[in-house]
Amino acid sequence: MNNIGTSAYAPAQVDRFWGGSMSRAEKLMGSSKIVPQIMVICRMEQKSVNDIADEMGVAPVYLEDILEKMTAEKLLITPAKGKYLSNCCVFPKQAYYEAKLYANKIFHDGGFPEKINERLFAVKDKITSLDFYGNHFDYRYLMWLLYAAAEDSFGTVGLDEYLKKYNGKYPNDGRDYQLTVLYILPDESFDGSVFNEIKATHWSCLHQFFDTADYGHVGFINGFEAPPFPNEDRRPDDCLVGRDRWVDGNNISLLIDLAKDPAKRLTEYEEEMAANFLKKGLLEKEDDGLIVQLPIFSRAVRDEFFEIVRTAIEDLAKEYAEAIGGEVEKRLMPYVRKDMVGNFLHWDMRMFFKILGCLYWYGWDKHLALPEDYSRSAAGLELIV
């Protein structure tokens, strides 16, 4: 009784974000209030079942199954028999967002959004001359995808530039998924005003791929899934939201067919699919037929698309890496275990080169073609054939 820690009566507040194939691990994280607490308790030092149980005020026997599942899903590692450590970086929320605010201020105050925007418009002729469906769209409409391509270049080129000083000392561990956990301990406060200064929108880049009879392996990419776009049909057990369910393996081929032939004669079932696409704004009815409203790329052309953008802005990505890398590292490295340094460098630091939210914040009402009705818009969506 004397060994019970503060987590028993005042658990930490825990947030998280991730990338990659984390559906099973994320489901486990969300299934119990105990799992996130264990991640915080085991963030820096090895803990035994009894250590964790004492801190949480729970009998050890009730934790054994949970710890076994967490280990199986790679949320925990076992450096020694009966000892557990969190298998990701776990940061104080205040410290993390202060580092994020620092990086975002450098991005905005340094004029990077304006410079990127100018470079993207400078390559307009190169982009629109590529062979993809949608190269005739309003360029401000294509900017939804150009911003995503710019963010990809910053994430790749900027991180590579930052990592040069380590000269390969900490290789990427090639995990199936990556995870970052943020916490506020019960005796700590969090200054939420930091969110008012960050100057970034929420965003996503959710990929789904389907095998089709007519076109083989095809992809649906949702590059912006956040308010004001709808997500009212979200299910508690599903990490996919809103517009992610507008296209699936059953109907994706019809969009490609109609991009090739807007006047295609539809079967009874295709008419039903098309009616739903019209309702969602993925099709528009015109004299020539049903006009697809989202770009469609071959993989090769999409690679060209991204390469044009990368070449146009790679010097800006290197400049940004030089400006923020050392300071962000100095702020967060104290919370990183030695065995997590590689994970920190290749995942957590990469997140600071993910500037898409800042670009959308900058481009909103200025350089992006905004839909009249957010509940029926293909803005930020694309297909890969």
Side-chain angles (χ1 to χ4, degrees):
M1 292 290 289
N2 292 333
N3 291 333
I4 291 176
T6 57
S7 296
Y9 55 87
Q13 297 178 44
V14 185
D15 292 328
R16 60 192 181 273
F17 59 86
W18 68 93
S21 303
M22 197 192 162
S23 57
R24 290 175 47 145
E26 167 57 19
K27 188 173 182 178
L28 181 59
M29 284 281 285
S31 67
S32 166
K33 293 182 179 179
I34 291 177
V35 174
Q37 297 301 316
I38 292 175
M39 298 294 290
V40 174
I41 291 169
C42 298
R43 65 188 182 278
M44 294 301 288
E45 298 178 357
Q46 300 178 27
K47 302 288 185 178
S48 67
V49 177
N50 288 337
D51 293 333
I52 299 168
D54 286 344
E55 178 60 30
M56 300 187 73
V58 177
V61 66
Y62 296 119
L63 294 178
E64 290 173 355
D65 285 349
I66 295 175
L67 292 170
E68 184 177 333
K69 290 177 182 177
M70 291 178 71
T71 303
E73 296 300 338
K74 301 179 183 179
L75 292 171
L76 297 175
I77 55 174
T78 52
K81 186 175 181 180
K83 298 286 187 177
Y84 299 91
L85 277 171
S86 299
N87 193 25
C88 69
C89 292
V90 183
F91 300 106
K93 189 172 181 178
Q94 189 73 52
Y96 185 88
Y97 278 106
E98 285 177 358
K100 188 66 175 173
L101 175 59
Y102 168 82
N104 284 15
K105 283 181 69 68
I106 293 293
F107 187 74
H108 287 292
D109 294 348
F112 286 97
E114 293 87 348
K115 295 172 186 175
I116 291 171
N117 214 72
E118 290 171 3
R119 303 283 182 90
L120 293 179
F121 272 96
V123 297
K124 178 180 177 179
D125 290 344
K126 291 183 179 179
I127 293 293
T128 56
S129 67
L130 292 175
D131 182 19
F132 67 94
Y133 177 83
N135 59 6
H136 61 291
F137 287 173
D138 178 352
Y139 200 66
R140 292 173 63 248
Y141 188 74
L142 291 177
M143 286 295 284
W144 288 90
L145 306 188
L146 287 159
Y147 278 176
E151 186 263 352
D152 181 81
S153 294
F154 256 64
T156 302
V157 176
L159 183 65
D160 287 348
E161 183 71 15
Y162 160 73
L163 290 176
K164 282 181 179 178
K165 67 180 182 178
Y166 289 102
N167 197 28
K169 183 178 179 181
Y170 299 99
N172 194 341
D173 58 13
R175 298 178 173 201
D176 292 336
Y177 69 82
Q178 301 283 3
L179 171 67
T180 298
V181 172
L182 309 175
Y183 67 89
I184 307 172
L185 296 179
D187 58 349
E188 296 177 338
S189 60
F190 177 73
D191 182 3
S193 65
V194 66
F195 293 124
N196 299 327
E197 303 176 54
I198 277 181
K199 295 183 179 179
T201 66
H202 293 291
W203 59 276
S204 67
C205 191
L206 302 171
H207 293 57
Q208 298 175 72
F209 290 92
F210 308 99
D211 290 318
T212 67
D214 295 326
Y215 298 104
H217 200 56
V218 296
F220 173 52
I221 298 178
N222 182 352
F224 194 93
E225 183 59 81
F229 286 103
N231 61 358
E232 69 279 355
D233 60 343
R234 180 172 185 169
R235 295 197 304 255
D237 62 340
D238 196 338
C239 64
L240 301 180
V241 295
R243 300 192 300 162
D244 288 292
R245 287 198 208 89
W246 289 3
V247 176
D248 58 33
N250 294 316
N251 61 26
I252 194 169
S253 292
L254 179 60
L255 284 173
I256 303 170
D257 288 344
L258 288 171
K260 293 182 174 183
D261 179 12
K264 169 183 165 67
R265 171 175 267 179
L266 304 182
T267 67
E268 176 185 350
Y269 303 107
E270 289 173 332
E271 286 180 355
E272 187 176 334
M273 293 177 189
N276 192 49
F277 284 147
L278 286 163
K279 180 181 176 182
K280 301 297 188 183
L282 302 188
L283 294 177
E284 292 291 341
K285 199 166 189 176
E286 298 182 6
D287 292 340
D288 294 335
L290 299 174
I291 310 302
V292 176
Q293 299 299 301
L294 63 164
I296 303 177
F297 296 90
S298 70
R299 285 176 174 79
V301 171
R302 191 171 187 269
D303 287 345
E304 289 183 65
F305 184 99
F306 272 62
E307 180 62 19
I308 290 170
V309 173
R310 185 196 65 77
T311 302
I313 67 169
E314 61 181 343
D315 62 316
L316 297 178
K318 292 177 180 179
E319 181 184 342
Y320 184 62
E322 181 67 25
I324 72 161
E327 183 64 26
V328 170
E329 180 182 304
K330 184 173 73 175
R331 290 168 182 247
L332 295 182
M333 193 68 89
Y335 307 105
V336 178
R337 301 193 316 262
K338 289 183 178 180
D339 63 305
M340 282 285 113
V341 171
N343 181 255
F344 170 76
L345 297 178
H346 290 278
W347 163 251
D348 293 290
M349 280 301 300
R350 184 183 180 89
M351 293 300 99
F352 286 86
F353 297 101
K354 293 283 187 181
I355 43 78
L356 187 55
C358 293
L359 279 178
Y360 281 136
W361 186 91
Y362 166 78
W364 213 267
D365 288 328
K366 297 177 184 177
H367 305 292
L368 292 169
L370 300 180
E372 294 181 7
D373 182 356
Y374 286 96
S375 68
R376 56 179 311 275
S377 172
L381 306 180
E382 60 178 303
L383 300 185
I384 303 176
V385 181

